[in-house]
Amino acid sequence: MLQQFSWQQFLVAIAVLSLIWYAAVILIFYRKELKAFLNGKPPKQTPDEPLDHHWQDKVDDLSDEPDDELMGKSKMPEGVSIIDMEDLRFSDPEDKTEKLGLVSDVIEDIKLIFKILGQEDGNKQDFLKLIQEVKARYPKISSSTSLPQINEFILSNASFHLSPEELEDLW
């Protein structure tokens, strides 16, 4: 059945139906603007204020409510507190540099020493020689507050026995 229609007939039908559709939309929704256009008057400008709504009078205005909420103030998350500005203190930058830089660098060098000792079957004497190089590279480590943690790391990773006196003599 569709083979009986030509393209020309199809396009004419679509154009006519489209014109009817747009004419109906303009007449239904844009009647005032169409009358103003046909009379030669400029269209009215819409105001910037919002339109009135039929439900607007039934809505409570919450802007005048007091700060106290119906159920009380909300609880702060655990571990959060409000303090005054003068109570706020930051850590010493030198301490932060030591914790983030110096100690981690020393531990990385000690890890490297243990790796070298494992690959070359090193012994306690080799470890003592290599740790002296680390001590010379980081002279501030001997006065560090993290020295017990470094010594504990050495004890837990060393493949040989180190006495507490030997650990004290390292630094």
Side-chain angles (χ1 to χ4, degrees), residues 1-160:
M1 179 170 157
L2 292 177
Q3 295 173 351
Q4 296 174 1
F5 295 108
S6 68
W7 277 105
Q8 183 180 10
Q9 292 171 337
F10 173 75
L11 292 175
V12 168
I14 291 296
V16 169
L17 291 175
S18 295
L19 285 174
I20 293 172
W21 172 258
Y22 284 111
V25 168
I26 289 172
L27 290 174
I28 293 172
F29 295 108
Y30 298 103
R31 184 174 301 164
K32 292 178 185 176
E33 288 85 354
L34 182 63
K35 284 182 183 177
F37 177 73
L38 293 176
N39 291 335
K41 296 179 184 175
K44 291 183 181 179
Q45 296 292 328
T46 58
D48 290 338
E49 60 191 47
L51 298 174
D52 291 333
H53 301 286
H54 69 280
W55 47 263
Q56 193 169 13
D57 296 333
K58 299 175 187 173
V59 176
D60 293 335
D61 186 17
L62 300 177
S63 62
D64 297 332
E65 290 290 319
D67 289 339
D68 295 334
E69 297 177 12
L70 181 64
M71 300 295 290
K73 292 187 177 182
S74 62
K75 183 180 175 186
M76 301 279 288
E78 190 171 328
V80 175
S81 62
I82 298 175
I83 61 172
D84 292 328
M85 187 64 182
E86 55 269 359
D87 294 337
L88 183 64
R89 300 278 186 261
F90 294 101
S91 66
D92 185 26
E94 293 292 326
D95 188 39
K96 182 178 179 182
T97 304
E98 177 182 333
K99 286 181 182 176
L100 295 178
L102 183 65
V103 174
S104 62
D105 289 344
V106 169
I107 288 179
E108 285 300 317
D109 282 355
I110 293 172
K111 286 180 185 177
L112 184 63
I113 288 172
F114 285 135
K115 182 179 178 183
I116 292 170
L117 291 176
Q119 290 173 348
E120 298 180 6
D121 294 330
N123 58 17
K124 185 177 184 178
Q125 300 303 323
D126 297 331
F127 172 77
L128 293 175
K129 288 178 188 175
L130 292 173
I131 202 73
Q132 290 304 319
E133 294 176 15
V134 172
K135 181 181 174 183
R137 195 174 320 147
Y138 304 105
K140 291 184 180 180
I141 198 66
S142 60
S143 63
S144 173
T145 58
S146 301
L147 203 53
Q149 287 85 5
I150 295 173
N151 288 340
E152 185 178 323
F153 177 77
I154 292 172
L155 281 176
S156 64
N157 291 307
S159 59
F160 42 82

